[in-house]
Amino acid sequence: MRTISLAIFLFAFWLALSGHYTFALVGAGLLSAVLCALAARHMLVVDPEGHPFQLLKGMVTYLPWLAWEIVKSAWAVTRIILHPGLPISPTMTRVQASQRSAAGIATYGNSITLTPGTLTVGLTNSELVVHALTRDGALDLESGRMDRRVSKFEGTL
Amino acid sequence: MALLIDVASGVLIAAGCFFILVGAFGLVRMPDVYTRAHGTSIIDTVGAGFLLMGLMLQAGWSLVTLKLLFVLAISFFTLPVVAHALAQAALHENITPKLAEDRRTRALGKDAPTGTGDESGKA
Amino acid sequence: MMFAGAAAALLVAFALAALRAIKGPTVFDRALAGNTVGSLAILLLAVFGFLTGRPEFLDIALTYGLLNLIGTLAVLKFFRHGDLAYDADEGKEP
């Protein structure tokens, strides 16, 4: 089931990138998509972690929220960079990730890094070490607002 | 209508260029390697995002738009990996960050403050 | 006109990143600057495709985006372990 879905996704990717729709090229694309899906299945990487199409549903609402967070904090960092006094107060902190699965924790860490002003440095079990550009950014992260949102995203799996 | 799209894409491209320049400026201005990484993350997120959105408006509904979307997705997925690997490698080489405040030793929930947090597993 | 302005802004950003690569006191500053140059190159390729009316450049941009990740990770791995074939499971450092 998951192998068929992977083959369909790969074939759609081929069609999007190629742009030429002759019989030979589309046939070659179909053949290589199926062969790749079978090879991936043989390597036992076609599992919920290797081909996570169940994430798509939660992505629809999570990505716009993340984009808005990124724009907000990017504007804050822009003001700091352009400020003549460079008012930074670098802070390192630890936060607890409340997600259950490895994919959830990875999503949380990557979301932290994608947001300008905060940067995931290390990870032990479910504790993230975070470098923040300002003290306010670190405190905002410690309040667990993003952690709860990512847990909600994980709950839609 | 065509004029409206031109104006909208012009505004988006200008915003993207502004954020890219700010990010590059931050890369030069910040004091140490960890804070510089924050500067580059502006380039890869909002800078690339606004610029590519402006280009998408110019391209209209075609395969080019889809390819621009792929470029944006690649930039969004690779930035955290590189930034995390870079910061972890720098910390591993004992390059101490200039900190105003170190809150790594604060108590986390129920467990007492143990290690310094430097001992990070392979992600 | 719009695309030429965007390309000019990208070139200025290139110059700033190159300045950091030359000045950067540690090797990680240089790796960061190199990665920044890479992601700016992706954007410049996309803009250049529109500037010359040849969207085929976007394919190169996609490939470059993937190569940029691998290149930066290889450089970081080399400077952290001194060996590209380092394997943590082997226990001892080679």
Side-chain angles (χ1 to χ4, degrees), chain B residues 7-21 47 50-51 54, chain C residues 2 5-6 9:
Chain B
V7 170
S9 72
V11 168
L12 282 174
I13 290 177
C17 291
F18 169 72
F19 280 115
I20 285 170
L21 286 176
F50 279 133
L51 187 67
Chain C
M2 203 157 59

Side-chain angles (χ1 to χ4, degrees), chain A residues 13 16-17 19 78 81 83-84 90-94 110 114 116-117 120-124 127 129 131 135 142, chain B residues 19 29 34 38 41-42 45-46 63 66-67 70 80 84 91 98-101 103-104 106 108 117 119-121:
Chain A
F13 188 63
L17 285 189
T78 302
I81 290 176
H83 194 283
T91 308
M92 281 192 114
T93 184
R94 290 194 306 163
N110 280 0
L114 264 179
T120 312
V121 177
L123 172 68
T124 32
E127 274 178 34
V129 181
H131 182 278
R135 193 167 181 278
E142 284 171 17
Chain B
F19 280 115
R29 201 173 173 212
Y34 302 96
H38 296 306
S41 73
I42 288 190
T45 55
V46 273
L63 279 183
L66 207 57
K67 280 183 194 171
F70 281 136
H84 173 76
L91 206 61
K98 291 173 185 145
L99 292 181
E101 186 184 358
R103 296 171 66 85
R104 271 179 296 182
R106 77 193 177 93
L108 253 187
E119 210 54 52
S120 40

Side-chain angles (χ1 to χ4, degrees), chain A residues 78-92:
Chain A
T78 302
R79 282 178 56 183
I80 289 170
I81 290 176
L82 293 182
H83 194 283
L86 200 64
I88 57 171
S89 48
T91 308
M92 281 192 114

Side-chain angles (χ1 to χ4, degrees), chain A residues 9-65:
Chain A
F9 268 81
L10 286 174
F11 186 52
F13 188 63
W14 171 288
L15 286 182
L17 285 189
S18 118
H20 297 280
Y21 300 112
T22 61
F23 178 75
L25 279 173
V26 172
L30 193 59
L31 193 67
S32 53
V34 169
L35 280 180
C36 282
L38 287 178
R41 183 195 177 125
H42 190 65
M43 289 193 292
L44 301 178
V45 292
V46 189
D47 48 8
E49 202 175 313
H51 178 52
F53 72 87
Q54 75 277 9
L55 287 176
L56 283 176
K57 201 172 52 180
M59 280 273 180
V60 177
T61 51
Y62 181 67
L63 281 184
W65 180 83

Side-chain angles (χ1 to χ4, degrees), chain B residues 52-91:
Chain B
L52 291 177
M53 269 197 274
L55 293 182
M56 273 181 221
L57 282 183
Q58 283 287 326
W61 287 106
S62 63
L63 279 183
V64 175
T65 312
L66 207 57
K67 280 183 194 171
L68 285 169
L69 208 59
F70 281 136
V71 172
L72 191 60
I74 283 180
S75 128
F76 260 60
F77 276 103
T78 56
L79 165 78
V81 180
V82 168
H84 173 76
L86 195 100
Q88 204 185 16
L91 206 61

Side-chain angles (χ1 to χ4, degrees), chain A residues 99-128:
Chain A
Q99 287 77 30
R100 293 182 308 276
S101 63
I105 294 174
T107 309
Y108 184 37
N110 280 0
S111 302
I112 289 173
T113 312
L114 264 179
T115 322
T118 47
L119 174 65
T120 312
V121 177
L123 172 68
T124 32
N125 297 327
S126 62
E127 274 178 34
L128 301 162

Side-chain angles (χ1 to χ4, degrees), chain B residues 6 9-11 13 17 20-21 24-25 27-30 32-33 36-37 40 43-44 47-48 51-52 54-56 58-59 63-65 67-68 70-71 74-75 77-79 81-83 85-86 88-90 92-93 95 120 122, chain C residues 2-3 5-10 12-14 16-17 19-20 23-29 31-33 35-36 39-40 42-44 46-47 50 55-56 58-59 61-63 65-66 68-69 72-73 76 79-81 87-88 93:
Chain B
D6 264 0
S9 72
V11 168
I13 290 177
C17 291
I20 285 170
L21 286 176
F25 189 54
L27 184 67
V28 175
R29 201 173 173 212
M30 292 290 188
D32 74 337
V33 66
R36 275 169 206 144
T40 46
I43 295 183
D44 267 351
L51 187 67
L52 291 177
L55 293 182
M56 273 181 221
Q58 283 287 326
L63 279 183
V64 175
T65 312
K67 280 183 194 171
L68 285 169
F70 281 136
V71 172
I74 283 180
S75 128
F77 276 103
T78 56
L79 165 78
V81 180
V82 168
L86 195 100
Q88 204 185 16
H92 189 260
E93 288 289 311
I95 295 173
S120 40
K122 200 175 166 193
Chain C
M2 203 157 59
F3 301 134
L10 283 169
V12 173
F14 262 109
L16 289 172
L19 181 66
R20 175 47 69 198
K23 267 171 66 180
T26 66
V27 68
F28 300 106
D29 290 295
L32 183 64
N35 182 53
T36 309
S39 45
L40 287 174
I42 299 167
L43 295 175
L44 187 63
V47 171
F50 278 82
E56 293 85 10
L58 278 175
D59 296 331
L62 275 171
T63 318
L66 296 172
N68 191 24
L69 170 75
T72 312
L73 287 183
L76 285 174
F79 279 105
R80 179 162 168 179
H81 303 300
D87 186 2
E93 296 236 5

